[in-house]
């Protein structure tokens, strides 16, 4: 046992020494988070030992702390999952990238570890999941609630998809809800249905002299919320005893899957993946928060990579002798067609539309910032941090600035009255109609150019958009959603 402790101490020493050496690299820090290296924040030695003795699934089982739910829907949901072993396999394999980190954060907060399984219900552990209610990420935050928990959403990144930031926000929100209701099952219901909805249901039951546990309140809940906690209980049951259900869980090693890289210079996603020697899809699975093909560097920019690939990234970066980024930002000061911007930067309109997620037949509103190729004049210049944090893009239908209308001259009309009516000048009316005098004849037809009004179309703001698949239907936190078939239903926050 003493020999094992010495081994653990040596391992910890190597890890910390390696970090100190790596941190000296210019524009690069590779730092395994302390929370992701230890099992118990107070005893690094026993934590490293525990890594050798227990896998992540075992740690989750050991930390179960929410009372089991006795509800007929638990059986229904369990049967649904058990009948789809390929779905469980696919989801648990995907989860293995993130579980260690989520579990560490739960243990650090002394929270029940079955909450690590909640993304199973929310997003099938897909951090790029995006719903029709605009809920995004592994924990499915809607934009407003994301902002409530300091998840930045701008043109270049959406922290609702950030593995580290969204996990921290979700656990903070769950702790808040548990503090409000004093019951984890009600906290989960509120996470799905909204805290206001749960509060109102409690008041109804209290007024009627009825209990206020989850089962007693479920009569007031929409179908999605009635099934939500039973789904988590079903997954919990399967993870607790997978063999009893004929399920084999994939190996989930009890050690960090990724380390954190700090990057202060801009770098293209493709270049970052290439330097890390990772397939682009795998790189995006760990770094889904980036909306554009360039990662803007700053003191707060973090990239996640598996440990081995982080070392490759460091080595390859030191030998890289080309620009790290091929993109820069451009802000328009007037309404602008994409074709005009493309000509300015000697590129194709289709390229700008693709990288900026601009649909056909739309143009930019004044003040919009878009990504454009770097020019030879400034190949090494980075996008300013302040611009990256606050850049926005708004688009509108690409319709003509004006349209022609025909005006029949009335008995009391004259050039001045017609010009005033259509908010143009007398000189313009005369020019459009080739008039050389100010006299009009009753019944005469005039051509007038008036501003093209798109009353039914408001500008579309595209600050944190992303072309992601719509994996689930969701609702807002304040309204109940319509029920849907199947147990994978999102809650939106």
């Amino acid at each position: 046992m003493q020999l094992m402790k010495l081994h653990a101490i040596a391992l910890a020493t190597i890890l910390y020494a390696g970090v100190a050496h790596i941190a000296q690299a210019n524009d690069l820090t590779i730092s395994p988070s302390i929370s992701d290296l230890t099992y118990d924040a107070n005893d690094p030695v026993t934590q490293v030992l525990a890594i050798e003795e227990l896998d992540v699934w075992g740690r989750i089982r050991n930390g179960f702390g929410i009372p089991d739910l006795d509800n007929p829907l638990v059986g229904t949901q369990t049967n649904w999952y058990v009948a789809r072993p390929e779905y469980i396999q696919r989801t648990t394999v995907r989860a293995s990238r993130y579980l260690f980190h989520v579990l560490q954060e739960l243990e650090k907060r002394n929270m029940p570890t079955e909450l690590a399984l909640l993304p199973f219900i929310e997003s099938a552990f897909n951090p790029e999941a995006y719903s029709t209610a605009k809920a995004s990420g592994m924990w499915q935050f809607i934009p407003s609630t994301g902002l409530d928990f300091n998840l930045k959403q701008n043109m270049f990144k959406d922290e609702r998809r950030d593995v580290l930031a969204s996990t921290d926000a979700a656990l903070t929100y769950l702790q808040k809800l548990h503090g409000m209701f004093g019951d984890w099952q009600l906290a989960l219901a509120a996470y799905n249905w909204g805290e206001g909805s749960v509060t109102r249901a409690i008041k109804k039951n209290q007024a009627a002299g009825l209990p206020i546990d989850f089962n007693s309140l479920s009569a007031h809940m929409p179908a999605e919320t009635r099934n939500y906690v039973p789904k988590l209980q079903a997954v919990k049951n399967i993870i607790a005893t997978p063999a009893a259900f004929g399920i084999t869980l994939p190996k989930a090693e009890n050690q960090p899957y990724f380390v954190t890289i700090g990057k202060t210079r801009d770098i293209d996603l493709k270049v970052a993946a290439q330097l890390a020697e990772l397939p682009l899809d795998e790189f995006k699975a760990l770094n889904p928060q980036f909306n554009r093909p360039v990662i803007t560097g700053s003191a707060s920019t973090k990239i996640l990579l598996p440990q081995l690939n982080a070392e490759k990234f460091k080595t390859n970066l030191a030998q890289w002798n080309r620009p790290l980024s091929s993109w820069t930002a451009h802000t328009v000061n007037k309404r602008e067609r994409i074709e005009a911007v493309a000509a300015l930067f000697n590129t194709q309109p289709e390229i700008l539309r693709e990288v900026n997620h601009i649909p056909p037949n739309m143009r930019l509103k004044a003040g919009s910032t878009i990504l454009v190729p770097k020019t030879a004049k400034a190949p090494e210049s980075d996008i300013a941090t302040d611009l990256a944090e606050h850049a926005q893009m708004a688009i509108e239908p690409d319709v003509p600035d004006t349209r022609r209308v025909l005006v029949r001259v009335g008995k009391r009309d004259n050039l001045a009255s017609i010009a005033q009516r259509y908010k143009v000048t007398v000189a313009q009316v005369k020019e459009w109609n080739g008039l050389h005098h100010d006299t009009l004849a009753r019944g005469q037809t005039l051509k007038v150019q008036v501003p093209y009004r798109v009353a039914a179309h408001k500008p579309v703001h595209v600050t944190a958009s992303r072309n992601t698949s719509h994996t689930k239907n969701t609702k807002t936190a304040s309204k109940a959603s319509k029920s849907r078939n199947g147990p994978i239903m999102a809650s939106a926050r």
Side-chain angles (χ1 to χ4, degrees), residues 370-490:
I370 65 169
L371 214 56
V372 296
K374 282 185 175 177
T375 64
K377 295 180 181 179
E380 296 295 335
S381 61
D382 286 342
I383 298 168
T385 300
D386 185 65
L387 177 60
E389 291 291 336
H390 300 100
Q392 292 192 357
M393 185 179 74
I395 54 179
E396 64 181 2
D398 187 6
V399 296
D401 293 331
T402 63
R403 60 188 177 92
R404 189 180 72 172
V405 297
L406 299 178
V407 179
R408 189 176 294 276
V409 178
K411 180 179 179 180
R412 298 180 181 177
D413 281 335
N414 55 44
L415 281 174
S417 66
I418 292 174
Q420 183 179 16
R421 186 186 312 159
Y422 291 98
K423 295 181 173 55
V424 296
T425 67
V426 170
Q428 287 175 317
V429 177
K430 293 176 70 174
E431 180 185 353
W432 294 329
N433 292 275
L435 300 178
H436 302 290
H437 50 77
D438 294 341
T439 305
L440 298 177
R442 182 180 178 183
Q444 180 180 354
T445 300
L446 297 178
K447 295 173 289 187
V448 179
Q449 298 289 338
V450 299
Y452 192 101
R453 303 186 187 281
V454 192
H457 296 276
K458 295 182 179 179
V460 180
H461 291 274
V462 191
T463 57
S465 64
R466 186 182 180 92
N467 294 330
T468 54
S469 59
H470 286 199
T471 58
K472 308 188 300 293
N473 295 323
T474 65
K475 53 170 177 52
T476 62
S478 61
K479 296 181 180 179
S481 68
K482 297 178 181 178
S483 62
R484 290 176 295 278
N485 295 327
I488 302 304
M489 308 176 196

Side-chain angles (χ1 to χ4, degrees), residues 100-265:
F100 184 91
H101 174 74
V102 175
L103 186 56
Q104 290 291 85
E105 294 303 302
L106 285 168
E107 290 173 340
K108 197 161 61 174
R109 297 169 184 242
N110 197 29
M111 296 172 71
T113 54
E114 55 261 66
L115 295 175
L117 306 174
L118 194 58
F120 203 109
I121 313 305
E122 287 290 339
S123 62
F125 274 97
N126 176 10
E128 295 192 68
Y130 188 80
S131 79
T132 53
K134 300 182 181 179
S136 187
M138 191 163 69
W139 298 93
Q140 288 289 284
F141 280 94
I142 59 172
S144 57
T145 310
L147 292 175
D148 288 343
F149 289 89
N150 301 315
L151 297 178
K152 296 178 181 177
Q153 300 157 56
N154 57 47
M155 178 178 141
F156 289 98
K157 66 181 176 182
D158 186 345
E159 289 185 342
R160 295 178 299 157
R161 294 192 301 269
D162 186 298
V163 174
L164 304 184
S166 69
T167 297
D168 181 71
L171 301 192
T172 298
Y173 189 26
L174 285 165
Q175 281 185 310
K176 172 190 172 183
L177 294 171
H178 183 257
M180 290 177 64
F181 300 108
D183 180 292
W184 280 114
Q185 291 175 2
L186 294 186
L188 288 164
Y191 191 80
N192 176 261
W193 191 24
E195 56 208 64
S197 299
V198 172
T199 298
R200 287 188 290 273
I202 288 174
K203 289 180 178 179
K204 287 180 182 178
N205 270 25
Q206 286 175 332
L210 298 174
I212 56 169
D213 59 284
F214 177 84
N215 284 335
S216 299
L217 295 176
S218 62
H220 303 295
M221 298 176 183
E224 179 181 329
T225 309
R226 284 200 304 273
N227 281 274
Y228 187 75
V229 180
K231 283 179 188 144
L232 183 61
Q233 182 67 54
V235 173
K236 174 182 175 180
N237 292 345
I238 293 170
I239 298 303
T241 56
F245 299 97
I247 299 294
T248 301
L249 296 177
K251 184 175 179 61
E253 294 185 357
N254 193 25
Q255 58 183 333
Y257 183 85
F258 53 76
V259 295
T260 303
I261 291 180
K263 198 76 178 65
T264 60
R265 296 293 308 277

Side-chain angles (χ1 to χ4, degrees), residues 28-31 157 159 162-165 258-265 267 283 286-290 295-305:
L28 181 68
T29 56
I30 304 180
S31 52
K157 66 181 176 182
E159 289 185 342
D162 186 298
V163 174
L164 304 184
F258 53 76
V259 295
T260 303
I261 291 180
K263 198 76 178 65
T264 60
R265 296 293 308 277
I267 185 170
F283 182 87
L286 289 174
N287 302 278
Q289 69 270 30
F290 300 116
I295 300 169
T296 56
S298 72
S300 62
T301 297
K302 304 296 181 188
I303 298 173
L304 303 185
L305 290 174

